[in-house]
Amino acid sequence: MATVELRFSAQPEHVRTARLVAAAVARRAGVEEAVLDEVRLAVGEACSRAVGLHRSNGLTAPVRVVLIEEEKVFSIEVGDEVPGPAGGSSEPVPAMDAALDPDADGEDEMGLAVISGLVDDVSVTSGESGGTIRMRWPVAGVPDLP
Amino acid sequence: MDLSLSTRTVGDRTVVEVGGEIDVYTAPKLREQLVELVNDGSYHLVVDMERVDFLDSTGLGVLVGGLKRVRAHEGSLRLVCNQERILKIFRITGLTKVFPIHTSVDDAVQATD
């Protein structure tokens, strides 16, 4: 069961909120303090990408962020509702190539490159109902007590 | 936290001091600023990122866009950054090979290579 589920309309201004919520839940789940910056950045990248996909495809549906706290792992799933390959290509191209290709709007590829550079355990899938980026981080033995 | 931007001229360089968070929401403001500077004839830019708290790939994209614009006028775009968490993003995307990154504004302003 999801520990926290967040749905927000595909507007850039809400991505910061998603970052803050994800970092807060990750901290509570026992993700190491040094890794929280990575969690914040990775979830921001995934949400920015989903927002971009929804907006460029004219979707009014919200972006979905699922934060799952388990015994030894903390997972984040960011889902978009853009079907097919556009919902999530699986092989991110190197960021520098994307950035320097004058014909490409390289931010989408660069976002995936940042995620795969930051997170060891990441998968990108896409299907008829949309794409999902799943990221997992190990959790320290004893969560912070209040 | 929102994005803050201020510019000043040092010799033939224009220093853009950026503070706060550069993300998918705020990056367009930075893009506008860089475009405006280039349109006004400032082709040698130094972007001071010492007060940036957060940078994502949208921000990287804007900086790369700025670099392309100044290069079209044989200009330069140098970054000032000492923050490890920001530098890490440039490293994992390979962009440390694309941008000259300096440890101080003085250093960036004087650089000619």
Side-chain angles (χ1 to χ4, degrees):
Chain A
M1 187 194 126
T3 307
V4 173
E5 185 167 342
L6 180 69
R7 292 158 72 84
F8 63 92
S9 58
Q11 302 290 337
E13 58 265 42
H14 300 317
V15 172
R16 180 169 187 265
T17 306
R19 288 202 304 267
L20 295 174
V21 171
V25 177
R27 177 181 281 124
R28 242 214 68 79
V31 174
E32 280 182 46
E33 204 67 25
V35 184
L36 289 177
D37 270 343
E38 295 175 11
V39 173
R40 196 177 287 120
L41 182 56
V43 82
E45 294 291 353
C47 288
S48 301
R49 181 172 177 276
V51 166
L53 285 169
H54 278 211
R55 288 166 70 89
S56 59
N57 286 277
L59 289 187
T60 55
V63 170
R64 194 183 74 253
V65 183
V66 181
L67 311 166
I68 305 159
E69 180 183 343
E70 289 166 293
E71 198 176 339
K72 289 181 177 169
V73 68
F74 177 70
S75 315
I76 300 182
E77 297 178 9
V78 177
D80 64 71
E81 295 192 8
V82 178
S89 63
S90 53
E91 289 298 319
V93 298
M96 202 160 64
D97 294 348
L100 295 180
D101 179 352
D103 299 324
D105 180 13
E107 283 164 13
D108 176 33
E109 289 82 356
M110 199 140 62
L112 280 178
V114 169
I115 292 171
S116 48
L118 279 178
V119 188
D120 294 334
D121 189 347
V122 60
S123 69
V124 183
T125 55
S126 76
E128 283 177 13
S129 58
T132 303
I133 297 179
R134 288 186 182 81
M135 303 170 281
R136 288 151 60 91
W137 287 270
V139 169
V142 184
D144 290 343
L145 296 171
Chain B
M1 186 186 291
D2 214 347
L3 183 74
S4 69
L5 292 168
S6 68
T7 63
R8 64 182 192 276
T9 306
V10 182
D12 67 340
R13 310 288 165 93
T14 302
V15 179
V16 183
E17 191 181 295
V18 189
E21 300 188 342
I22 312 176
D23 73 353
V24 66
Y25 178 53
T26 61
K29 291 176 200 165
L30 177 60
R31 180 185 288 122
E32 278 170 32
Q33 174 76 81
L34 297 178
V35 168
E36 192 180 313
L37 286 169
V38 173
N39 287 347
D40 291 347
S42 303
Y43 303 141
H44 291 282
L45 307 179
V46 173
V47 179
D48 179 1
M49 305 186 63
E50 281 300 272
R51 294 172 64 201
V52 170
D53 301 313
F54 181 88
L55 173 75
D56 73 3
S57 64
T58 326
L60 292 177
V62 166
L63 292 171
V64 170
L67 183 65
K68 288 179 191 166
R69 283 190 175 83
V70 294
R71 278 187 178 169
H73 298 277
E74 293 174 3
S76 62
L77 192 157
R78 298 170 183 280
L79 304 176
V80 177
C81 183
N82 292 294
Q83 301 188 69
E84 183 50 37
R85 62 178 175 175
I86 304 288
L87 290 170
K88 182 177 184 181
I89 304 163
F90 285 94
R91 272 201 296 273
I92 61 178
T93 51
L95 291 173
T96 45
K97 295 171 191 150
V98 176
F99 289 103
I101 301 179
H102 299 268
T103 54
S104 72
V105 171
D106 285 349
D107 188 33
V109 164
Q110 286 163 19
T112 54
D113 55 350

